[in-house]
Amino acid sequence: MAKHPVSLTVNGDEHDLLIEPRKTLLAVLRDTIGLTGTKEGCSTGDCGACTVIVEGKAVTSCMVLGVTAAGKEITTIEGLASDGALHPVQRAFIETGGYQCGFCTPGFIIAAKALLDENPARTEEEFRHALGGNICRCTGYTKILEAVMQAAEEIRTTA
Amino acid sequence: MKSFEFFEPTTLAEASRMFTQEHAQLLAGGTDLIIGMKAYTETPQAVISLQKIPGLAGIATDADNGITIGAMTKAREVELSEDIQQHHTALAEGAAEIGSIQIRNLATIGGNIAHASPAADTVAGLLVADAQVDIASAGGERTVPIEALFTGPGQTVLAPGEIITAFRLPRATAGSHYIKHKIREVMDLAFIGVAAAVDMDDATITDARIGLAAVAPTPIRAIEAENLLKGNSLSDVLLAEAGEAAAAACSPISDLRCSAEHRRQMVDVLTRRTVQEAVARA
Ligand code: FES
Ligand code: FES
């Protein structure tokens, strides 16, 4: 089937691509652009490993057709650090040990970043609920929530 | 996923004409369609995206607190809309029950309804809001009350080429509530969904609407239960009667989620709870 010309901005860089309509945004990011930080877990919207930010909103990129992302701004895990400085959520995950195998981590970090941008003044219970679309099979979530709460605290006090 | 031609029309008329072709599918948020295509349960030859058609997304409130929700409005926006939270609480609560935030940032209310799952999370709230569904096609426009939209699981009265454009909620309800019976806190499908909305004059229930999801081949209103409530004030006896009437109105199936008998009993229980809460909020 005919490929479509698609221009999109990923982490500030513009990409002009030719993509097949059936390619998901996740596949475009990983296979076409080569940004493999975003992970494919279930590919059915259930695990959150593929979470990226599109136009300021966290979405599961396995449920988005790449062609529909044309003209949009996308942020992936590779785009969170600025000038070599990690984002507070990234740092908090490292400091608290909020990961084991790390497969779910990019998705958790991106989802948490979107939540913190929206409102860092959530309770732990609220963060727990809001991160319900992200699954981790290693950690038991305790350290992940610790990391998110630590980042929230930092963002609140430095804002 | 099978290959398909992708179209992004910029007018409804164009989209409608494309959609009259065989093997064409509309793409709204994609959270049902793309999963279906990956599973090969959906194999469209043409996918028609609605995202470039202006005017299909957004929530507008008029002077009489009537609310119009564009079909392409994201579930997350419905959930967070202050007007919907205040005047149609059950609908905001229903939208908040869909998947995860990441999914609600994609999924649209139009897609949730057009997919016609009897278990759709926004449907009970739309039923008790007396929602009118605006439908457009190349041939013209028409409006259908939400309870007349569905004909069976996955089936609607929509003809080839017809596209849902908006949901109109004609007036504010004084108090409403939605309960989704489920196992997981998030990312679960409804075993059953029950919504109730009431209008009150002091302690008297002047109007009552009860919407039931996932307990019949289509979402339904529990009219007998509503009639029992109207003109009366709340009591345990009245609640028990209404719960029983609602349970009698449904024709649930047994499936891997739970048995028909459990569904029927839970309709009774959750009707009592939703009505009680709707009255408390009014
Ligand atoms: S890979 Fe997208 S949600 Fe699991
Ligand atoms: S750290 Fe292994 S899945 Fe989360």
Side-chain angles (χ1 to χ4, degrees):
Chain A
M1 294 275 162
K3 291 191 175 185
H4 287 239
V6 169
S7 300
L8 37 79
T9 308
V10 183
N11 304 327
D13 297 331
E14 214 185 296
H15 297 267
D16 299 314
L17 311 168
L18 265 182
I19 54 184
E20 234 193 306
R22 65 173 167 169
K23 280 223 161 200
T24 61
L25 176 59
L26 174 63
V28 170
L29 291 169
R30 288 181 55 89
D31 307 339
T32 313
I33 302 180
L35 292 172
T36 53
T38 307
K39 302 301 180 204
E40 177 167 23
C42 62
S43 219
T44 51
D46 295 296
C47 76
C50 66
T51 303
V52 300
I53 295 175
V54 178
E55 299 287 309
K57 311 262 185 230
V59 302
T60 37
S61 62
C62 70
M63 302 173 103
V64 176
L65 295 180
V67 281
T68 63
K72 294 183 180 168
E73 268 196 52
I74 295 147
T75 306
T76 69
I77 187 73
E78 289 91 344
L80 277 203
S82 56
D83 297 331
L86 293 181
H87 186 278
V89 191
Q90 292 175 302
R91 227 175 329 103
F93 266 77
I94 294 171
E95 284 167 14
T96 60
Y99 55 88
Q100 285 178 28
C101 79
F103 196 83
C104 68
T105 314
F108 262 106
I109 289 181
I110 290 284
K113 188 227 179 245
L115 291 175
L116 291 164
D117 287 348
E118 196 179 84
N119 173 17
R122 285 181 165 89
T123 63
E124 185 172 326
E125 197 46 45
E126 287 166 343
F127 274 115
R128 182 185 280 275
H129 190 266
L131 289 167
N134 292 79
I135 289 176
C136 174
R137 293 284 84 143
C138 302
T139 66
Y141 302 101
T142 307
K143 302 257 177 202
I144 291 176
L145 276 163
E146 236 174 75
V148 174
M149 292 310 288
Q150 179 180 316
E153 164 89 37
E154 181 182 333
I155 288 168
R156 281 198 307 266
T157 49
T158 54
Chain B
M1 208 186 293
K2 278 212 158 134
S3 290
F4 53 84
E5 298 278 0
F6 178 73
F7 299 98
E8 259 187 331
T10 53
T11 66
L12 272 171
E14 213 185 327
S16 168
R17 268 192 302 272
M18 293 173 170
F19 190 33
T20 51
Q21 303 166 43
E22 261 182 84
H23 308 298
Q25 269 292 4
L26 293 181
L27 174 67
T31 53
D32 284 317
L33 179 62
I34 292 171
I35 297 309
M37 291 196 299
K38 288 187 186 189
Y40 296 92
T41 55
E42 299 274 2
T43 51
Q45 288 165 8
V47 170
I48 306 154
S49 165
L50 298 176
Q51 78 168 351
K52 288 281 160 67
I53 301 172
L56 286 185
I59 299 166
T61 307
D62 67 28
D64 305 322
N65 282 325
I67 296 180
T68 303
I69 309 171
M72 285 291 280
T73 307
K74 303 293 184 191
R76 181 78 172 149
E77 276 172 70
V78 174
E79 162 193 2
L80 296 178
S81 155
E82 281 177 21
D83 285 341
I84 296 176
Q85 285 176 355
Q86 185 182 346
H87 300 304
H88 298 285
T89 319
L91 179 57
E93 289 170 330
E97 289 285 355
I98 296 174
S100 60
I101 291 180
Q102 289 98 310
I103 289 171
R104 299 200 290 282
N105 279 334
L106 293 170
T108 65
I109 186 167
N112 196 230
I113 294 306
H115 192 60
S117 159
D121 277 313
T122 57
V123 76
L126 286 171
L127 279 169
V128 300
D130 259 335
Q132 301 290 311
V133 185
D134 288 343
I135 298 165
S137 68
E141 292 169 12
R142 63 173 175 141
T143 297
V144 169
I146 182 88
E147 62 265 33
L149 187 72
F150 307 102
T151 54
Q155 304 294 319
T156 65
V157 298
L158 293 172
E162 282 195 315
I163 299 169
I164 296 176
T165 57
F167 301 89
R168 281 184 293 111
L169 319 180
R171 61 180 179 286
T173 47
S176 68
H177 184 39
Y178 173 69
I179 298 179
K180 173 178 182 168
H181 185 43
K182 60 192 175 184
I183 288 186
R184 282 195 70 200
E185 183 65 23
V186 295
M187 292 296 297
D188 207 348
L189 293 179
F191 286 37
I192 65 170
V194 181
V198 296
D199 295 305
M200 307 283 293
D201 184 6
D202 283 332
T204 306
I205 300 170
T206 53
D207 198 7
R209 292 171 301 281
I210 295 167
L212 306 177
V215 295
T218 68
I220 54 169
R221 289 266 297 268
I223 303 289
E224 295 224 340
E226 296 174 3
N227 289 338
L228 285 169
L229 293 170
K230 282 183 214 169
N232 289 306
S233 51
L234 209 59
S235 68
D236 286 348
V237 177
L238 185 66
L239 276 177
E241 285 173 359
E244 237 172 80
C250 59
S251 47
I253 54 165
S254 294
D255 61 12
L256 75 165
R257 326 205 104 240
C258 60
S259 68
E261 191 44 38
H262 180 67
R263 282 198 165 94
R264 202 185 295 279
Q265 284 185 10
M266 287 311 292
V267 167
D268 180 352
V269 172
L270 296 185
T271 297
R272 282 183 265 152
R273 275 188 212 159
T274 48
V275 169
Q276 199 161 23
E277 182 61 23
V279 168
R281 289 173 176 182

